[in-house]
Amino acid sequence: MRVLAIDTALGACSACVVERGAAEAIASETIYMERGHAEELVPLIDRVIARVDTRFEGIDRVVVTIGPGSFTGLRIGLSAARAIALGLEVPVVGVSTLSALIAPALTTEAGRVIAAAIDARHGNVYVQAVAPGGRPLMAPRVATIRDAVRALGSGGISLVGPAAPVVASDAFALGLDARVVDAAPAPDIAWVARLGIAADPADAPARPLYLRPADAKPQDNGRLPRQ
Amino acid sequence: MSFAHSPTVLGIETTCDETAAAVVTRDEEGRGRILANEVLSQIAQHAAYGGVVPEIAARAHVESLDLLVARALDRAGIKLRDVDAVAVAAGPGLIGGVMVGLTAAKALALVAGKPLIAVNHLEAHALTARMTDRIAFPYLLLLVSGGHTQLLAVRGVGDFVRLGTTIDDAIGEAFDKTAKMLGLPYPGGPHVEKEAAQGDPARFDLPRPMLARQKPDFSLSGLKTAVRLEAEKLVPLSHTDVADLCAGFQAAIVDVVVDRTRTALRTFRPAAGQAPTALVVAGGVAANEGIRRGLRRLAAEAGLKLVAPPHELCADNGAMIAWAGLERLSLGMIDDLTVAARARWPLDRLAEPSPTGKA
């Protein structure tokens, strides 16, 4: 199986084409950026595809990060991925940013809790953790940094993700054995592709994972009383 | 670019609270034919908030756009590879939603190996009359919606002169705010119109702002305030009060629209170099029958044809985007994949920015 993977949910605009089981991507490009994903993404996919002999032909699946992350960013990736899948008439699967951040650490951080953290503003993080052996410890959620640290237990903690350093400093303050494994601004796109290859399309819909409701309040002010 | 005598374009619209996709083709005589026109309204999701919430709109667009595109292609009986171009509204509008549509359109264009056409949503409204009635340039356009109120001389594709605009609220916005104050559901336009039909337009003495001004601009906020002041004297409002206030409000709007459009007809010739071929009304508020009647009278008085597209083509839709795409494609006006979404995108680049950004 060959997949096209896309990520614009965090601090990068990335795409790659990966063949199942292959160590290296056939083509891959990542540009780290805070904003501007919308203008960058499709031309970037165009460049990546141009480096694949058969271009879109032979792509069996599209993989995309669904968040948590920037609401606008994850929608850009999802819009592109779902449109490409529609055009190619192939399935599209979603991979969470937190899972993609954790995945590479699963082999290197044996025996420790692995937690991925992404800044969610105002002292909050999007966080997910797995216990030693890969068993789920904390499902993806938004939490204060303090609550996140408390939920990670008292054993060794390996932290990944753009907010790993801030979580680590809180953990140090509590005297925990915490270390930052990787604080890259976005997941490795090749790992997004691998998780997408492993996913079952029925269980991994390409739908946004915001973890937060839209910021909106019902407006009733200004309404005059009626009989 | 290889297209036969009947180019076919996929059109995508996500600038506000309708997610839409359509397939339109143009025959040898230049007539537009809508092969599919799929629209999913988000009204129910915004109703509780009394207006469109940008984040909710963007969330809804990304969930359903690809399904609508698939359904439109299906209804049209074609595959993506059969279209000659992918057209998309790249603005003006709520930027989060525009980005969803634009990104999807770019991706579809890339996969299909077909040109992308970034359409101005307002231009699409402006050109709809050419799809439905094949009218020639130049014509006078009254563009009235929840976000826009403008009088434009349409001289050609991408060639507009703004004759007048609102200095405060858009007309559709005034309808919505009036409806909300009177306890009518969102969106307000159709509900105010329904109430107005049962009311007495003469019961309240409401102002006609800007009437007889030399420049065909609009001002709606004073009218809205006047409705509020009258209404506050009557609370709690009876059903008759609400109907009469709606009737008075709509009558004032119609008077203002007719007067401002009449003024625009006078300023048209200097702006366009010749008389208009028609008077065209477009945008969601163009569905209002009171406004249509007023404009029909004015058109008859001016010896002009009034072109008012059917209701489903007045509201936001994908067919108008596809048609604008066809018009631009035939002129070789295509865009590359780096084109950016635009929250603001005035049709007349030389006009002063509108005071509120709501033009």
Side-chain angles (χ1 to χ4, degrees):
Chain A
M1 177 169 25
R2 177 181 289 188
V3 301
L4 167 66
I6 294 168
D7 169 48
T8 54
L10 298 173
C13 187
S14 293
C16 74
V17 174
V18 169
E19 193 83 46
R20 187 210 295 267
E24 296 280 317
I26 297 168
S28 181
E29 183 172 344
T30 293
I31 301 173
Y32 291 106
M33 49 168 45
E34 282 302 312
R35 50 185 55 82
H37 301 71
E39 292 76 38
E40 195 63 48
L41 178 61
V42 179
L44 185 149
I45 295 170
D46 192 13
R47 289 195 296 273
V48 168
I49 285 297
R51 283 157 44 206
V52 179
D53 288 345
T54 50
R55 290 184 58 86
F56 284 109
E57 194 130 331
I59 301 277
D60 303 300
R61 180 180 284 191
V62 181
V63 184
V64 62
T65 50
I66 56 173
S70 148
F71 295 169
T72 299
L74 66 90
R75 279 194 289 265
I76 288 161
L78 278 162
S79 300
R82 287 171 59 151
I84 291 169
L86 168 67
L88 297 178
E89 299 182 359
V90 300
V92 54
V93 302
V95 168
S96 99
T97 48
L98 293 163
S99 301
L101 290 165
I102 288 171
L106 285 171
T107 48
T108 61
E109 303 300 304
R112 298 170 67 84
V113 165
I114 305 166
I118 295 164
D119 181 27
R121 303 232 177 115
H122 312 300
N124 294 290
V125 286
Y126 300 118
V127 61
Q128 179 181 351
V130 295
R135 184 170 51 79
L137 176 66
M138 195 193 306
R141 71 178 67 165
V142 57
T144 64
I145 294 167
R146 173 156 306 177
D147 287 349
V149 170
R150 273 202 203 115
L152 295 176
S154 53
I157 304 165
S158 295
L159 293 157
V160 295
V166 296
V167 174
S169 67
D170 253 45
F172 295 146
L174 292 174
L176 295 172
D177 164 23
R179 68 170 176 242
V180 175
V181 179
D182 187 353
D188 179 346
I189 190 66
W191 275 101
V192 173
R194 286 184 203 116
L195 292 186
I197 289 169
D200 177 350
D203 299 335
R207 299 187 61 194
L209 179 65
Y210 295 109
L211 294 183
R212 267 187 176 154
D215 187 15
K217 290 182 184 66
Q219 303 273 318
D220 262 334
N221 51 329
R223 183 164 295 183
L224 297 172
R226 289 186 60 165
Q227 281 174 11
Chain B
M1 229 184 307
S2 68
F3 50 84
H5 296 291
S6 300
T8 303
V9 169
L10 170 68
I12 290 172
E13 158 64 41
T14 57
T15 62
C16 192
D17 61 343
E18 326 273 357
T19 314
V23 178
V24 177
T25 185
R26 178 147 85 169
D27 67 19
E28 287 89 341
E29 281 95 57
R31 258 190 304 266
R33 201 153 63 84
I34 298 172
L35 302 181
N37 192 19
E38 299 294 319
V39 183
L40 183 64
S41 171
Q42 306 170 1
I43 284 173
Q45 293 173 65
H46 298 286
Y49 303 97
V52 178
V53 180
E55 174 64 18
I56 291 177
R59 289 184 176 202
H61 288 308
V62 76
E63 291 278 6
S64 55
L65 178 59
D66 59 340
L67 307 175
L68 286 163
V69 170
R71 209 194 298 163
L73 291 169
D74 216 40
R75 290 262 161 90
I78 62 168
K79 296 280 188 187
L80 179 64
R81 61 173 174 272
D82 300 325
V83 305
D84 294 291
V86 179
V88 59
L94 302 173
I95 197 74
V98 177
M99 282 182 180
V100 167
L102 181 56
T103 303
K106 287 178 181 180
L108 290 168
L110 175 64
V111 168
K114 297 294 163 66
L116 174 79
I117 302 173
V119 168
N120 181 314
H121 171 91
L122 302 176
E123 174 164 86
H125 275 303
L127 297 176
T128 299
R130 285 169 53 78
M131 168 171 64
T132 56
D133 291 71
R134 298 177 65 201
I135 57 168
F137 297 119
Y139 51 88
L140 176 64
L141 172 72
L142 170 68
L143 180 58
V144 276
S145 70
H148 306 280
T149 297
Q150 300 188 43
L151 282 155
L152 293 148
V154 185
R155 302 193 295 190
V157 175
D159 184 7
F160 299 83
V161 180
R162 196 182 74 201
L163 305 173
T165 184
T166 179
I167 60 168
D168 41 56
D169 290 352
I171 292 184
E173 196 180 4
F175 268 96
D176 286 345
K177 287 178 176 173
T178 298
K180 190 166 151 188
M181 141 190 6
L182 300 177
L184 300 172
Y186 172 86
H191 294 284
V192 170
E193 183 176 1
K194 210 160 95 195
E195 292 289 331
Q198 305 161 31
D200 171 13
R203 176 171 159 201
F204 301 101
D205 186 22
L206 296 172
R208 268 65 172 156
M210 311 292 273
L211 219 62
R213 290 276 181 99
Q214 289 294 312
K215 192 167 181 296
D217 284 333
F218 295 80
S219 169
L220 283 312
S221 72
L223 173 58
K224 181 190 64 196
T225 305
V227 173
R228 167 170 291 281
L229 292 175
E230 293 291 349
E232 279 171 351
K233 291 182 208 159
L234 300 168
V235 290
L237 300 169
S238 70
H239 178 79
T240 311
D241 295 335
V242 171
D244 291 348
L245 285 163
C246 286
F249 168 80
Q250 184 171 295
I253 290 279
V254 171
D255 284 352
V256 168
V257 164
V258 169
D259 176 79
R260 305 290 66 208
T261 308
R262 185 185 286 119
T263 303
L265 281 170
R266 281 202 292 273
T267 59
F268 186 94
R269 191 186 277 273
Q274 64 179 92
T277 61
L279 168 59
V280 176
V281 60
V285 181
N288 184 286
E289 280 303 328
I291 291 176
R292 284 186 184 223
R293 273 196 302 276
L295 291 173
R296 220 171 278 135
R297 279 199 313 272
L298 173 64
E301 169 196 311
L304 275 174
K305 174 181 175 169
L306 175 72
V307 179
H311 289 207
E312 69 273 17
L313 296 179
C314 286
D316 290 351
N317 65 87
M320 69 178 190
I321 305 298
W323 174 259
L326 280 162
E327 294 252 36
R328 296 185 84 84
L329 182 65
S330 69
L331 298 169
M333 300 163 95
I334 62 172
D335 296 271
D336 69 40
L337 299 177
T338 61
V339 64
R342 297 174 68 170
R344 300 196 51 186
W345 187 357
L347 279 177
D348 181 350
R349 278 160 301 173
L350 303 177
E352 292 285 307
S354 109
T356 56
K358 286 166 185 164

Coordinates of all heavy atoms in Angstrom, one line a residue, chain B residues 172-222:
Chain B
G172 N -29.6 43.2 4.4 CA -29.9 41.9 5.0 C -29.7 41.9 6.5 O -30.4 41.3 7.3
E173 N -28.6 42.6 6.9 CA -28.3 42.8 8.3 C -29.4 43.5 9.1 O -29.8 43.2 10.2 CB -27.0 43.5 8.4 CG -26.2 43.5 9.7 CD -24.9 44.3 9.6 OE1 -24.7 44.9 8.5 OE2 -24.2 44.3 10.6
A174 N -29.9 44.6 8.4 CA -31.0 45.4 9.0 C -32.2 44.5 9.2 O -32.9 44.6 10.2 CB -31.3 46.6 8.1
F175 N -32.5 43.7 8.2 CA -33.6 42.7 8.3 C -33.4 41.8 9.5 O -34.3 41.6 10.3 CB -33.8 41.9 7.0 CG -34.7 42.5 6.0 CD1 -34.3 43.2 5.0 CD2 -36.1 42.3 6.1 CE1 -35.1 43.8 4.0 CE2 -37.0 42.8 5.2 CZ -36.5 43.6 4.1
D176 N -32.2 41.2 9.6 CA -31.9 40.3 10.7 C -32.0 40.9 12.0 O -32.5 40.4 13.0 CB -30.5 39.7 10.5 CG -30.4 38.7 9.3 OD1 -31.5 38.2 8.9 OD2 -29.3 38.3 8.9
K177 N -31.5 42.1 12.1 CA -31.5 42.8 13.5 C -32.9 43.2 13.8 O -33.3 43.1 15.0 CB -30.6 44.1 13.4 CG -29.1 43.7 13.4 CD -28.2 45.0 13.3 CE -26.8 44.6 13.4 NZ -25.9 45.8 13.1
T178 N -33.7 43.6 12.9 CA -35.1 44.0 13.1 C -35.9 42.7 13.6 O -36.6 42.7 14.6 CB -35.7 44.6 11.9 OG1 -35.0 45.8 11.6 CG2 -37.2 44.9 12.1
A179 N -35.6 41.6 12.9 CA -36.3 40.4 13.2 C -35.9 40.0 14.6 O -36.8 39.6 15.4 CB -35.9 39.3 12.2
K180 N -34.7 40.1 15.0 CA -34.2 39.6 16.3 C -34.9 40.5 17.4 O -35.3 39.9 18.4 CB -32.7 39.8 16.3 CG -32.0 39.2 17.5 CD -30.5 39.1 17.3 CE -29.7 39.2 18.5 NZ -28.3 39.3 18.2
M181 N -34.9 41.8 17.2 CA -35.5 42.7 18.2 C -37.0 42.4 18.4 O -37.5 42.5 19.5 CB -35.2 44.1 17.7 CG -36.3 45.1 17.9 SD -36.1 46.7 17.1 CE -34.7 46.8 16.1
L182 N -37.7 41.9 17.3 CA -39.1 41.6 17.4 C -39.4 40.2 17.8 O -40.5 39.7 17.7 CB -39.8 42.0 16.1 CG -39.6 43.4 15.6 CD1 -40.3 43.7 14.3 CD2 -40.3 44.4 16.7
G183 N -38.3 39.4 18.1 CA -38.5 38.1 18.5 C -38.8 37.1 17.4 O -39.3 36.0 17.6
L184 N -38.4 37.5 16.2 CA -38.6 36.6 15.0 C -37.4 35.7 14.8 O -36.3 36.1 15.2 CB -38.9 37.4 13.7 CG -40.2 38.2 13.8 CD1 -40.3 39.1 12.6 CD2 -41.5 37.4 13.9
P185 N -37.5 34.5 14.3 CA -36.4 33.6 14.1 C -35.3 34.1 13.1 O -35.6 35.0 12.3 CB -37.0 32.3 13.6 CG -38.5 32.4 13.8 CD -38.8 33.9 13.8
Y186 N -34.2 33.6 13.3 CA -33.1 33.8 12.3 C -33.1 32.8 11.2 O -33.4 31.7 11.4 CB -31.7 33.7 13.1 CG -30.5 33.8 12.2 CD1 -30.0 35.0 11.9 CD2 -30.0 32.7 11.6 CE1 -28.9 35.1 11.0 CE2 -28.9 32.8 10.8 CZ -28.4 34.0 10.5 OH -27.3 34.1 9.6
P187 N -32.8 33.2 10.0 CA -32.5 34.5 9.5 C -33.7 35.4 9.3 O -34.8 34.8 8.9 CB -31.8 34.3 8.1 CG -32.3 33.0 7.7 CD -32.7 32.2 8.9
G188 N -33.6 36.6 9.5 CA -34.8 37.5 9.7 C -35.6 37.8 8.4 O -36.8 38.0 8.5
G189 N -34.9 37.9 7.3 CA -35.5 38.4 6.1 C -36.8 37.8 5.7 O -37.8 38.5 5.7
P190 N -36.9 36.4 5.6 CA -38.1 35.8 5.2 C -39.2 36.0 6.2 O -40.4 36.1 5.9 CB -37.8 34.3 5.0 CG -36.3 34.3 4.9 CD -35.7 35.5 5.6
H191 N -38.8 36.0 7.5 CA -39.8 36.2 8.6 C -40.4 37.6 8.6 O -41.6 37.8 8.8 CB -39.2 35.8 9.9 CG -38.9 34.3 10.0 ND1 -39.8 33.4 10.2 CD2 -37.7 33.7 9.8 CE1 -39.2 32.2 10.2 NE2 -37.9 32.4 10.0
V192 N -39.5 38.6 8.4 CA -40.0 40.0 8.4 C -41.0 40.1 7.2 O -42.0 40.8 7.3 CB -38.8 41.0 8.3 CG1 -39.3 42.4 8.0 CG2 -38.0 40.9 9.6
E193 N -40.6 39.6 6.1 CA -41.4 39.7 4.9 C -42.8 39.0 5.1 O -43.8 39.6 4.7 CB -40.7 39.0 3.7 CG -41.5 39.1 2.4 CD -40.8 38.6 1.2 OE1 -39.7 38.0 1.3 OE2 -41.3 38.7 0.1
K194 N -42.8 37.9 5.8 CA -44.1 37.2 6.0 C -44.9 38.0 7.0 O -46.2 38.2 6.7 CB -43.8 35.8 6.7 CG -44.8 34.8 6.4 CD -44.3 33.4 6.6 CE -44.6 32.9 8.0 NZ -43.8 31.7 8.4
E195 N -44.3 38.6 8.0 CA -45.1 39.4 9.0 C -45.6 40.7 8.2 O -46.7 41.1 8.4 CB -44.2 39.8 10.1 CG -43.8 38.7 11.1 CD -45.0 38.2 11.9 OE1 -45.9 39.0 12.2 OE2 -45.0 37.0 12.2
A196 N -44.7 41.3 7.4 CA -45.0 42.5 6.7 C -46.3 42.3 5.8 O -47.1 43.3 5.7 CB -43.9 43.0 5.9
A197 N -46.4 41.2 5.3 CA -47.6 40.9 4.4 C -48.9 41.0 5.1 O -49.9 41.3 4.5 CB -47.5 39.5 3.8
Q198 N -48.9 40.8 6.4 CA -50.1 40.9 7.2 C -50.3 42.3 8.0 O -51.2 42.5 8.7 CB -50.1 39.8 8.3 CG -49.9 38.4 7.7 CD -49.5 37.5 8.8 OE1 -49.9 37.6 10.0 NE2 -48.7 36.5 8.4
G199 N -49.3 43.2 7.8 CA -49.3 44.4 8.6 C -49.7 45.6 7.8 O -49.8 45.6 6.6
D200 N -49.8 46.7 8.6 CA -50.2 48.0 8.0 C -48.9 48.8 7.9 O -48.4 49.3 8.9 CB -51.2 48.7 8.9 CG -51.5 50.1 8.5 OD1 -51.0 50.5 7.4 OD2 -52.1 50.8 9.3
P201 N -48.4 49.1 6.7 CA -47.2 49.8 6.5 C -47.3 51.3 6.9 O -46.3 51.9 7.1 CB -46.9 49.7 5.0 CG -48.2 49.4 4.4 CD -49.0 48.7 5.4
A202 N -48.5 51.8 7.1 CA -48.7 53.2 7.3 C -48.8 53.6 8.8 O -48.9 54.7 9.2 CB -49.9 53.8 6.5
R203 N -48.9 52.5 9.7 CA -49.2 52.8 11.1 C -48.0 53.6 11.7 O -48.3 54.4 12.6 CB -49.4 51.5 11.8 CG -49.6 51.7 13.3 CD -50.1 50.4 14.0 NE -49.8 50.4 15.4 CZ -49.7 49.4 16.2 NH1 -49.9 48.2 15.7 NH2 -49.4 49.5 17.5
F204 N -46.8 53.3 11.4 CA -45.7 54.0 12.0 C -45.0 54.9 11.0 O -44.9 54.5 9.8 CB -44.7 53.0 12.5 CG -45.3 52.0 13.6 CD1 -45.6 50.7 13.2 CD2 -45.5 52.5 14.9 CE1 -46.2 49.9 14.1 CE2 -46.0 51.6 15.8 CZ -46.4 50.3 15.4
D205 N -44.6 56.0 11.4 CA -43.9 57.0 10.6 C -42.4 56.8 10.7 O -41.8 57.3 11.6 CB -44.3 58.4 11.0 CG -43.7 59.4 10.0 OD1 -43.5 59.1 8.8 OD2 -43.6 60.6 10.4
L206 N -41.9 55.9 9.8 CA -40.5 55.6 9.9 C -39.7 56.3 8.8 O -40.2 56.7 7.7 CB -40.3 54.0 9.6 CG -41.0 53.1 10.7 CD1 -40.9 51.7 10.2 CD2 -40.3 53.3 12.0
P207 N -38.4 56.7 9.1 CA -37.6 57.5 8.2 C -37.2 56.7 7.0 O -37.2 55.5 6.9 CB -36.4 57.8 9.1 CG -36.3 56.7 10.0 CD -37.7 56.2 10.3
R208 N -36.8 57.5 5.9 CA -36.3 56.9 4.7 C -34.9 57.5 4.6 O -34.7 58.5 3.9 CB -37.1 57.3 3.5 CG -38.2 56.4 3.0 CD -39.3 56.3 4.1 NE -40.5 55.5 3.6 CZ -41.3 54.8 4.4 NH1 -41.2 54.9 5.7 NH2 -42.3 54.2 3.9
P209 N -33.9 56.9 5.2 CA -32.6 57.6 5.3 C -31.9 57.7 3.9 O -32.1 56.8 3.0 CB -31.7 56.6 6.1 CG -32.7 55.8 6.8 CD -33.9 55.7 6.0
M210 N -31.3 58.8 3.7 CA -30.5 59.1 2.4 C -31.4 59.4 1.2 O -30.8 59.7 0.1 CB -29.5 57.9 2.0 CG -28.7 57.4 3.1 SD -27.4 58.5 3.7 CE -26.1 58.1 2.5
L211 N -32.6 59.5 1.4 CA -33.5 59.7 0.3 C -33.1 61.0 -0.4 O -32.8 62.0 0.2 CB -35.0 59.8 0.7 CG -36.0 59.2 -0.2 CD1 -35.8 57.7 -0.3 CD2 -37.4 59.5 0.4
A212 N -33.0 60.9 -1.8 CA -32.7 62.1 -2.6 C -31.3 62.6 -2.5 O -30.9 63.6 -3.1 CB -33.7 63.3 -2.3
R213 N -30.4 61.9 -1.8 CA -29.0 62.2 -1.9 C -28.4 62.0 -3.3 O -28.8 61.1 -4.0 CB -28.2 61.3 -0.9 CG -28.4 61.6 0.5 CD -27.6 62.7 1.1 NE -27.8 62.9 2.5 CZ -27.0 62.4 3.4 NH1 -25.9 61.8 3.1 NH2 -27.3 62.6 4.7
Q214 N -27.5 62.9 -3.7 CA -26.9 62.8 -5.0 C -26.2 61.5 -5.3 O -26.2 61.0 -6.4 CB -25.9 64.0 -5.2 CG -26.5 65.4 -5.2 CD -27.4 65.6 -6.5 OE1 -26.9 65.3 -7.6 NE2 -28.6 66.1 -6.3
K215 N -25.4 61.0 -4.3 CA -24.7 59.8 -4.5 C -25.5 58.6 -4.0 O -26.1 58.7 -2.9 CB -23.3 59.9 -3.7 CG -22.3 58.8 -4.1 CD -21.0 59.2 -3.5 CE -19.9 58.1 -3.9 NZ -20.2 56.8 -3.3
P216 N -25.6 57.6 -4.8 CA -26.6 56.5 -4.4 C -26.1 55.6 -3.3 O -25.9 54.4 -3.5 CB -26.8 55.7 -5.7 CG -25.5 56.0 -6.5 CD -25.0 57.3 -6.1
D217 N -25.8 56.2 -2.1 CA -25.4 55.4 -1.0 C -26.6 55.1 -0.1 O -27.6 55.7 -0.3 CB -24.3 56.2 -0.2 CG -23.0 56.2 -0.8 OD1 -22.6 55.2 -1.6 OD2 -22.2 57.2 -0.6
F218 N -26.3 54.1 0.8 CA -27.4 53.7 1.7 C -27.0 54.0 3.2 O -25.8 54.0 3.5 CB -27.6 52.2 1.6 CG -28.2 51.8 0.3 CD1 -27.3 51.6 -0.8 CD2 -29.5 51.5 0.1 CE1 -27.8 51.2 -2.1 CE2 -30.0 51.0 -1.1 CZ -29.2 50.9 -2.2
S219 N -28.0 54.1 4.0 CA -27.7 54.1 5.5 C -28.9 53.4 6.1 O -30.0 53.8 5.9 CB -27.5 55.5 6.0 OG -27.6 55.5 7.4
L220 N -28.7 52.4 6.9 CA -29.8 51.6 7.4 C -29.9 51.6 8.9 O -30.9 51.3 9.5 CB -29.7 50.1 7.0 CG -30.1 49.7 5.5 CD1 -31.4 50.3 5.2 CD2 -29.0 50.0 4.5
S221 N -28.8 52.1 9.6 CA -28.8 51.9 11.1 C -29.9 52.8 11.7 O -30.5 52.5 12.7 CB -27.5 52.1 11.7 OG -27.1 53.4 11.6
G222 N -30.1 54.0 11.1 CA -31.1 54.9 11.7 C -32.5 54.3 11.6 O -33.3 54.5 12.5

